[in-house]
Amino acid sequence: MAFSAITAAAITVRRHSILSSNLTTTVTLLSIRTHRPHHTRKLITTMAASSTTPSPEQKITAPYGSWSSPITSDVVSGASKSLGGTAVDSHGRLFWIESRPTESGRSVIVKGGNGENEEAIDVTPKEFSVRTVAQEYGGGAFSISGETVVFSNYKDQRLYKQSTDSKDSAPVPLTPDYGGPLVSYADGVYDTSLNRFITVMEDRRESSLNAITSIVSIELGGNTIQEPKVLVGGNDFYAFPRLSPEGKKLAWIEWSHPNMPWDKSELWVGYISDTGDVYKRVCVAGGDPAIVESPTEPKWSDEGELFFITDRKSGFWNLHKWVESDNTVAPIYSLEAEFARPLWVFGMNSYEIIKGQNNLIACSYRQKGRSYLGILDKNKNTLSVLQCPFTDLMNITSGVQCLYIEGASGVHPLSIAKVSLDDQASNIVDFQIVWSSSPTISEYKSYFSSPEFIEFPTEVPGEMAYAYYYPPINPIYEASQDEKPPLLLKSHGGPTAEARGILNLNIQFWTSRGWAFVDVNYGGSTGYGRAYRERLLKRWGIVDVNDCCSCAQFLVDSGKADGERLCITGGSAGGYTTLAALAFKKTFKAGSSLYGVADLKLLKEETHKFESRYMDNLVGGEKEFFERSPINFVDQFSCPIILFQGLEDKVVPPEQARTIYKALKAKGLPVALVEYEGEQHGFRKAENIKFTLEQQMVFFARLVGHFKVADEILPIKIDNFD
């Protein structure tokens, strides 16, 4: 081969050098006003993005996969910032958490500028990182009241209090030091009447695999740190503690094994005494065994009404209201659409009661692969849809005469937009992007491949599944007429999750080099209602695998992919689907598994509490656990595989990757394993994001693509190949 190789096939990555660049061009996305945040990270490009795009007749003919692109791995890794939530203070100032791959994945609270002339500033001191590991996936790591922020610090998992008004304000600890990150907190709210903070607490002091979760209160005043006081406990899991305006009622969500919160959960309301204790409890939703539902996201109006989202009867998460007088539930508006997402992380906020207009609720919902922004009139039970540039919406935060929405689209990366409405809240009068995960992204606009929403037939007659297909696009290159592109199929994680059709540089990295890319929402995915979600019950490793194979074959039959160059990738549960597809089917010619599952029985024994019974409903009994585990069928693997694993992963421990790597190596298949020190479930460091992307691409090119990539990448050694 023409490639020289890094000598170790199973390598542990400790440090890689990363270049920086001077790319600092201000972004304007379409005709939408874009305010460039202070925290723009400089990116690297190996090709001038402003190069003159040749006319079609000037295009260079070159094999798919070999095209050169300015969307380099450095660009992707440097622009992979993510959001950890938004909040607004008493002055209407926006705050958000952003994770920074270029700072080893550190998460920082940022205070937005007051107008276009004032830059955003970091609130979090450099020695802190704002992140909770409650339920491992975290979320809900900070909360603001007045000019005070309470946040979880990643290193010790303690809660700290800090002023948001002074740059020199030092965080003050609120919770005890237990000698390590043994107790985590998430999803907290302020109780101003009793000067305390009410939050979910996860206590791992007795057992890291069977943590005790409860809702506790933490004193905000006084000179001494006190033990948290348990308000609600006894069940396996809690989320969304929400206090009524007068401070006399507390709503929360709880659920127990073997259910996940989207399978079956309960909404409770507790009445609070003058001393701050919960003295009476009422189950609002989820307690009737005749009704299967999973209530989520409770929220109180200023008038003391309790709203929440549940999927009772229809199987779709819709908005409802509690009628306290007779403890009944009334729907606000019914639609075959999802107004909420599965509770993987704390702190989700899919709707907001508009300040000053308590009869109006700003909400987002998903139908057939896209999001919509709407205004619900709770008095008239009507829904008005707003014309929003984002086709994918996440959280909504109510500001002063505006909304802040987290969203994206096929032409917008993950962003925060300030949305101003007219007096009737019936139209958007101003839409301004105030933060972007990839602020210099418009530099590469001519290289972008737009997602095409597709429906394809599954193996079950009459049943369809869904995906986003991205064709290969490059303004400089084209392939010969008789060549079909290689295809990389991605199987999302979860598996109770959803692929979304947004502008993602990780995908554009592939398509701009001549790869076709498809992101599959197999049966079991969210966004399509409970019935679609429950296609996977007792059939994980079957339905997802079949749907991914059906999607790939559908694209081959449609002339959009080369059937001899089909590759599959996925992380976590998507890594399991990848390994299962390679073990039990012959559709794909190579695969890449990122922190994927090879042994279902071992995962059940070693994973954290939140997911420890997840597979009971997804897989079944002992027989199914054996028959669905790829590690038990190594003899059926027949193609190359590359594996990536974080060594601090507590969701899918490293032994999973090591076991399948050793077995495949012994079988004689081309295989490689990359392990990352300091990484957990999902890679947060820029250098590791970059290395993973490069090694996946060159691995597929060498073993399946039969072309040389344009990028100068030193590939790792592949066992049984080099």
Side-chain angles (χ1 to χ4, degrees):
M1 298 293 290
F3 296 87
S4 59
I6 298 173
T7 54
I11 65 170
T12 299
V13 178
R14 294 178 173 83
R15 185 179 296 118
H16 302 290
S17 62
I18 272 200
L19 304 177
S20 61
S21 93
N22 299 313
L23 197 61
T24 56
T25 306
T26 303
V27 180
T28 303
L29 297 175
L30 298 180
S31 60
I32 299 163
R33 294 200 301 139
T34 305
H35 172 63
R36 184 180 175 209
H38 173 63
H39 297 280
T40 298
R41 288 294 169 264
K42 296 180 180 180
L43 311 176
I44 182 169
T45 170
T46 57
M47 179 186 295
S50 59
S51 299
T52 302
T53 301
S55 60
E57 60 268 24
Q58 295 177 303
K59 281 193 173 185
I60 301 168
T61 300
Y64 284 117
S66 69
W67 302 348
S68 179
S69 169
I71 305 175
T72 65
S73 56
D74 288 289
V75 169
V76 176
S77 61
S80 298
K81 291 187 295 183
S82 61
L83 281 172
T86 54
V88 172
D89 69 5
S90 57
H91 304 294
R93 188 74 66 89
L94 176 68
F95 292 75
W96 64 86
I97 291 182
E98 64 177 54
S99 69
R100 298 173 178 170
T102 53
E103 296 181 33
S104 297
R106 189 171 80 99
S107 295
V108 178
I109 298 173
V110 182
K111 181 179 182 179
N114 188 12
E116 293 189 5
N117 295 325
E118 184 179 350
E119 292 185 333
I121 60 171
D122 286 357
V123 173
T124 309
K126 292 188 179 299
E127 62 271 23
F128 288 83
S129 178
V130 182
R131 181 181 160 209
T132 176
V133 297
Q135 290 183 180
E136 290 301 323
Y137 297 107
F142 82 122
S143 183
I144 288 177
S145 178
E147 297 174 353
T148 300
V149 59
V150 171
F151 68 88
S152 294
N153 182 44
Y154 173 62
K155 185 176 182 180
D156 57 12
Q157 288 297 290
R158 298 173 72 186
L159 284 181
Y160 288 78
K161 179 175 68 173
Q162 182 186 3
S163 169
T164 62
D165 202 38
S166 171
K167 294 181 180 179
D168 301 322
S169 172
V172 177
L174 292 172
T175 53
D177 182 356
Y178 297 112
L182 301 175
V183 178
S184 299
Y185 309 87
D187 216 5
V189 294
Y190 293 83
D191 182 355
T192 54
S193 61
L194 294 176
N195 195 27
R196 62 181 183 170
F197 192 69
I198 298 175
T199 182
V200 175
M201 181 177 80
E202 183 181 82
D203 188 346
R204 300 178 297 277
R205 283 176 290 179
E206 292 186 8
S207 171
S208 60
L209 296 180
N210 192 26
I212 298 171
T213 305
S214 55
I215 296 174
V216 302
S217 66
I218 294 161
E219 298 300 321
L220 294 175
N223 297 320
T224 59
I225 297 174
Q226 300 179 18
E227 284 287 329
K229 177 183 179 181
V230 175
L231 301 179
V232 182
N235 212 334
D236 289 318
F237 304 100
Y238 295 91
F240 292 111
R242 297 295 182 260
L243 197 65
S244 62
E246 80 286 355
K248 293 300 182 182
K249 292 189 284 286
L250 180 71
W252 69 86
I253 299 294
E254 64 177 65
W255 68 100
S256 56
H257 281 319
N259 294 310
M260 298 300 283
W262 47 83
D263 294 326
K264 194 177 191 312
S265 58
E266 297 173 352
L267 168 61
W268 287 76
V269 170
Y271 293 81
I272 299 175
S273 68
D274 292 339
T275 59
D277 295 306
V278 175
Y279 69 91
K280 175 186 173 184
R281 307 180 189 188
V282 175
C283 185
V284 173
D288 186 346
I291 300 175
V292 177
E293 63 178 324
S294 50
T296 185
E297 293 196 52
K299 191 186 299 287
W300 299 91
S301 71
D302 291 340
E303 299 166 342
E305 295 177 296
L306 179 62
F307 297 91
F308 63 98
I309 298 173
T310 189
D311 59 347
R312 59 169 51 194
K313 297 181 180 178
S314 72
F316 288 89
W317 276 311
N318 285 189
L319 268 161
H320 292 69
K321 181 176 72 173
W322 178 43
V323 182
E324 184 178 4
S325 58
D326 56 1
N327 191 29
T328 57
V329 170
I332 300 298
Y333 190 84
S334 298
L335 187 68
E336 288 195 355
E338 298 281 53
F339 284 75
R341 291 164 281 141
L343 203 166
W344 280 105
V345 296
F346 291 103
M348 294 185 298
N349 205 44
S350 303
Y351 69 101
E352 277 275 42
I353 299 165
I354 297 179
K355 293 179 180 178
Q357 294 177 292
N358 275 341
N359 64 307
L360 300 181
I361 299 172
C363 59
S364 66
Y365 64 91
R366 285 187 73 75
Q367 266 187 330
K368 289 287 185 178
R370 69 158 290 168
S371 298
Y372 298 86
L373 180 65
I375 301 294
L376 269 173
D377 189 319
K378 67 180 181 66
N379 295 337
K380 298 179 181 178
N381 298 105
T382 58
L383 174 66
S384 302
V385 179
L386 302 176
Q387 297 302 310
C388 176
F390 289 160
T391 57
D392 190 280
L393 300 171
M394 303 295 280
N395 296 316
I396 300 174
T397 300
S398 186
V400 177
Q401 297 182 326
C402 70
L403 300 170
Y404 292 101
I405 59 175
E406 300 173 29
S409 74
V411 294
H412 299 90
L414 176 63
S415 308
I416 303 173
K418 180 180 180 182
V419 178
S420 300
L421 306 177
D422 60 17
D423 293 339
Q424 293 76 38
S426 58
N427 291 289
I428 295 175
V429 296
D430 190 43
F431 186 95
Q432 180 186 0
I433 293 177
V434 296
W435 179 90
S436 172
S437 59
S438 307
T440 58
I441 202 165
S442 65
E443 295 282 331
Y444 315 106
K445 185 177 179 180
S446 62
Y447 290 83
F448 291 160
S449 176
S450 298
E452 300 173 11
F453 181 73
I454 61 172
E455 297 185 46
F456 59 91
T458 69
E459 290 194 358
V460 179
E463 281 192 358
M464 305 294 286
Y466 311 98
Y468 296 99
Y469 171 74
Y470 300 78
I473 286 180
N474 189 301
I476 297 174
Y477 293 93
E478 63 181 1
S480 63
Q481 294 284 337
D482 57 350
E483 185 186 5
K484 302 298 181 185
L487 174 74
L488 181 59
L489 182 145
K490 181 183 176 184
S491 172
H492 65 67
T496 311
E498 181 184 3
R500 292 172 174 252
I502 65 175
L503 182 54
N504 182 341
L505 286 183
N506 279 281
I507 294 174
Q508 304 300 327
F509 176 85
W510 294 91
T511 56
S512 63
R513 283 167 173 74
W515 281 78
F517 193 103
V518 65
D519 212 349
V520 181
N521 278 317
Y522 47 78
S525 302
T526 59
Y528 302 89
R530 179 180 282 268
Y532 192 83
R533 197 166 69 239
E534 291 186 345
R535 286 187 188 179
L536 209 57
L537 294 184
K538 306 298 183 185
R539 293 178 62 78
W540 190 33
I542 298 175
V543 171
D544 50 322
V545 169
N546 288 344
D547 286 358
C548 286
C549 293
S550 295
C551 182
Q553 190 59 52
F554 174 79
L555 293 172
V556 171
D557 295 342
S558 303
K560 295 182 176 181
D562 182 348
E564 296 303 314
R565 294 189 291 176
L566 301 178
C567 300
I568 184 171
T569 186
S572 190
Y576 165 71
T577 301
T578 294
L579 294 173
L582 298 176
F584 305 129
K585 297 283 187 174
K586 301 300 180 186
T587 302
F588 299 98
K589 308 305 179 184
S592 170
S593 171
L594 285 69
Y595 38 94
V597 180
D599 187 334
L600 294 173
K601 183 174 182 291
L602 181 63
L603 178 68
K604 184 177 179 179
E605 294 170 351
E606 294 185 344
T607 196
H608 60 136
K609 180 182 177 181
F610 177 58
E611 294 181 88
S612 62
R613 301 290 300 278
Y614 188 17
M615 289 177 292
D616 290 7
N617 289 329
L618 288 175
V619 180
E622 187 174 333
K623 176 175 178 287
E624 288 78 17
F625 269 77
F626 181 88
E627 291 177 347
R628 310 265 183 86
S629 295
I631 189 63
N632 298 324
F633 298 90
V634 172
D635 60 310
Q636 296 183 197
F637 282 88
S638 60
C639 65
I641 300 175
I642 187 168
L643 307 144
F644 299 88
Q645 179 69 45
L647 292 179
E648 295 182 11
D649 193 336
K650 295 179 181 178
V651 178
V652 179
E655 193 59 29
Q656 292 276 345
R658 290 170 177 169
T659 301
I660 195 72
Y661 162 71
K662 292 174 183 176
L664 294 172
K665 180 181 177 183
K667 177 178 167 62
L669 286 177
V671 64
L673 169 63
V674 178
E675 295 180 326
Y676 295 120
E677 289 186 341
E679 290 283 19
Q680 298 173 307
H681 197 64
F683 307 145
R684 290 175 170 82
K685 299 178 181 180
E687 61 267 31
N688 296 338
I689 296 170
K690 166 186 165 70
F691 193 77
T692 301
L693 200 55
E694 290 180 341
Q695 294 304 323
Q696 284 183 92
M697 184 179 67
V698 76
F699 182 87
F700 292 146
R702 296 179 69 195
L703 288 111
V704 176
H706 309 301
F707 52 77
K708 183 176 180 181
V709 300
D711 306 72
E712 293 185 7
I713 299 171
L714 184 65
I716 61 172
K717 178 179 178 292
I718 302 168
D719 278 304
N720 303 318
F721 182 76
D722 289 315

